[in-house]
């Protein structure tokens, strides 16, 4: 079996999937964490990292929302992909984004994937957190939602 941290795993995963919210809805936890005023702030810039095939609804944030994943098979399942602005393919460990761009970074499961191989879990976690730090504005926030603990045997 290909390790969950590899791009090949996710290409195969999404090739076999039909479009669905495979993890859990981001809206379900963000509703509890963000006030309506925050979500409706037109100056808010949000990065939704590692989206798979589940994008935020266009009207969830009033400000700018940029969304990416490195699985092209996942992105191809998104309805109206060609019309979706601010949606692209990229590797989270070297995001093609400017420094200090985002007020909020949200991800659900990307950290699990990035740390999915025991031999690279620590270094990948460090690289990912450095990328988040680089892309965040001062006083920005990151919400990481994970199903696994740091030493879970379920990942490899």
């Amino acid at each position: 079996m290909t390790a969950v941290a590899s791009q090949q795993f996710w290409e195969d995963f999404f090739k076999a999937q039909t479009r669905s919210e495979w993890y859990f809805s981001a809206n379900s936890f963000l509703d509890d964490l963000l006030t309506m005023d925050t979500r409706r702030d037109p100056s808010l810039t949000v990065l939704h990292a590692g989206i798979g095939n589940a994008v935020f609804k266009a009207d969830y944030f009033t400000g700018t929302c940029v969304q990416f994943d490195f699985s092209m098979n996942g992105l191809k399942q998104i309805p109206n992909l060609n019309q979706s602005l601010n949606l692209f393919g990229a590797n989270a460990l070297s995001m093609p984004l400017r420094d200090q761009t985002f007020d909020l970074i949200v991800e659900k499961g990307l950290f699990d994937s990035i740390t999915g191989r025991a031999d690279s879990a620590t270094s990948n976690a460090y690289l990912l957190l450095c990328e988040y730090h680089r892309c965040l504005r001062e006083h920005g926030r990151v919400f990481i939602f994970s199903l696994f603990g740091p030493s879970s045997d379920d990942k490899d």
Side-chain angles (χ1 to χ4, degrees), residues 26 33 49 71 74 110:
L33 295 172
S71 170
L110 175 59

Side-chain angles (χ1 to χ4, degrees), residues 45-46 66 97-103 134-137:
T45 56
V46 179
V66 174
L97 300 166
R98 290 188 307 243
D99 295 356
Q100 300 178 0
T101 303
F102 299 97
D103 300 301
R134 178 185 68 78
C135 292
L136 273 181
R137 289 183 178 155

Side-chain angles (χ1 to χ4, degrees), residues 25-41:
S25 171
N27 296 6
S28 66
F29 59 78
L30 286 178
D31 286 344
D32 294 333
L33 295 172
L34 300 175
T35 66
M36 186 61 78
D37 287 343
T38 300
R39 289 177 32 209
R40 297 296 173 221
D41 180 351

Side-chain angles (χ1 to χ4, degrees), residues 34-155:
L34 300 175
T35 66
M36 186 61 78
D37 287 343
T38 300
R39 289 177 32 209
R40 297 296 173 221
D41 180 351
S43 68
L44 183 72
T45 56
V46 179
L47 177 63
H48 185 193
I51 64 172
N53 62 6
V55 296
F56 283 130
K57 294 179 183 174
D59 62 351
Y60 193 77
F61 294 104
T62 302
T64 301
C65 185
V66 174
Q67 305 182 80
F68 79 90
D69 196 89
F70 74 171
S71 170
M72 294 311 294
N73 285 334
L75 294 175
K76 288 176 188 174
Q77 294 178 9
I78 296 170
N80 304 316
L81 176 62
N82 293 331
Q83 298 172 8
S84 298
L85 299 176
N86 299 324
L87 179 65
F88 63 97
N91 183 333
L93 299 181
S94 58
M95 296 183 286
L97 300 166
R98 290 188 307 243
D99 295 356
Q100 300 178 0
T101 303
F102 299 97
D103 300 301
L104 176 65
I105 298 175
V106 177
E107 64 111 298
K108 55 187 179 92
L110 175 59
F111 194 84
D112 289 336
S113 176
I114 290 294
T115 59
R117 290 184 49 172
D119 63 347
S120 60
T122 302
S123 60
N124 282 352
Y126 177 78
L127 291 171
L128 180 64
L129 294 176
C130 286
E131 276 296 277
Y132 286 168
H133 182 262
R134 178 185 68 78
C135 292
L136 273 181
R137 289 183 178 155
E138 188 175 352
H139 305 295
R141 295 181 287 169
V142 177
F143 293 134
I144 297 175
F145 295 88
S146 171
L147 291 179
F148 297 103
S151 62
S152 176
D153 293 335
D154 297 332
K155 291 183 181 182

